[in-house]
Amino acid sequence: GESVGLHLPTLSVQEGDNSIINCAYSNSASDYFIWYKQESGKGPQFIIDIRSNMDKRQGQRVTVLLNKTVKHLSLQIAATQPGDSAVYFCAVVGSQGNLIFGKGTKLSVKP
Amino acid sequence: GAVVSQHPSWVICKSGTSVKIECRSLDFQATTMFWYRQFPKQSLMLMATSNEGSKATYEQGVEKDKFLINHASLTLSTLTVTSAHPEDSSFYICSARTGEDYGYTFGSGTRLTVV
């Protein structure tokens, strides 16, 4: 079946540095990808998305890169702030229209 | 933007009792509702998918008689955990989707603790 993996379960960065969180997916037919942020005890919060016809998409302080050749997705957070501390999940849309989540990366920002 | 209101945010119940969790889509119609379960330090795992007016489709390993899902209207879906046991303690999250657009809106989650 389809799967989504994440390369690193935890990431610790200094405030002000850039963060990069990676994700891999298995289904080459996947055409929509989303990054979510989840704070403790809360539901996932949409950060940014990208469709398979794009390689890169930018938001406010965030950039998502998609490499379809190697089925890899990354989230870059510029000038990371303490408020960015959370667990980040990548998700792909499955064949049933549901979201398949990666395992998550816990980002810790040191002041 | 689209909002899904999920209640309760937390609940403690005794073993053997049932608990109902509600998700309401505010100012939009949710044609499809997804229910996820999340254990501590783990990812979200899909439990079931429900479309308004039809029976829910459950993922493998999820007992449909234990986790009752009702999606009777385009703005309300409920998940009832029947005869709850401590191993059902988890974080339950709903997600609403409108039409064919890839717009997914999540509820704030319900922390269920069965004692």
Side-chain angles (χ1 to χ4, degrees):
Chain A
E2 299 174 82
S3 67
V4 181
L6 214 55
H7 291 193
L8 198 65
T10 61
L11 176 65
S12 183
V13 300
Q14 204 70 37
E15 182 179 357
D17 287 351
N18 297 334
S19 303
I20 299 176
I21 300 172
N22 296 303
C23 187
Y25 60 97
S26 64
N27 188 354
S28 56
S30 297
D31 65 354
Y32 184 58
F33 308 85
I34 313 172
W35 280 100
Y36 287 95
K37 173 185 180 182
Q38 187 180 30
E39 296 174 316
S40 181
K42 297 183 179 179
Q45 175 188 352
F46 173 90
I47 301 174
I48 193 168
D49 60 358
I50 189 168
R51 294 189 183 272
S52 59
N53 61 352
M54 301 175 71
D55 297 322
K56 178 180 179 179
R57 191 159 187 233
Q58 288 183 292
Q60 187 177 13
R61 283 201 305 117
V62 294
T63 300
V64 54
L65 298 177
L66 176 63
N67 186 330
K68 295 180 287 294
T69 303
V70 294
K71 292 183 282 189
H72 182 271
L73 188 70
S74 69
L75 174 70
Q76 300 178 4
I77 305 173
T80 314
Q81 303 169 358
D84 295 326
S85 294
V87 178
Y88 289 81
F89 293 96
C90 63
V92 302
V93 176
S95 56
Q96 304 301 317
N98 59 294
L99 290 175
I100 302 170
F101 285 84
K103 292 182 171 57
T105 290
K106 183 175 181 179
L107 175 65
S108 298
V109 182
K110 295 177 287 187
Chain B
V3 175
V4 171
S5 177
Q6 183 170 348
H7 293 281
S9 55
W10 61 270
V11 57
I12 301 173
C13 71
K14 292 184 177 179
S15 275
T17 62
S18 296
V19 173
K20 179 185 283 188
I21 301 169
E22 289 190 354
C23 277
R24 293 181 183 273
S25 57
L26 307 181
D27 65 46
F28 76 99
Q29 294 182 330
T31 54
T32 304
M33 191 73 80
F34 303 98
W35 286 93
Y36 294 85
R37 179 168 53 184
Q38 185 179 32
F39 291 108
K41 298 186 188 299
Q42 294 189 22
S43 188
L44 286 76
M45 298 301 295
L46 182 68
M47 297 176 66
T49 302
S50 73
N51 292 298
E52 183 264 340
S54 56
K55 289 183 179 180
T57 303
Y58 290 81
E59 295 299 297
Q60 194 171 11
V62 178
E63 301 174 56
K64 62 179 183 180
D65 294 330
K66 180 172 181 63
F67 299 98
L68 303 180
I69 291 173
N70 185 290
H71 193 170
S73 78
L74 286 171
T75 60
L76 175 64
S77 179
T78 61
L79 167 67
T80 301
V81 183
T82 63
S83 186
H85 288 99
E87 57 264 33
D88 299 323
S89 298
S90 188
F91 193 54
Y92 292 86
I93 309 169
C94 63
S95 174
R97 177 184 167 192
T98 300
E100 295 302 315
D101 180 17
Y102 286 146
Y104 300 87
T105 304
F106 283 84
S108 53
T110 297
R111 170 74 59 195
L112 170 64
T113 303
V114 185
V115 297

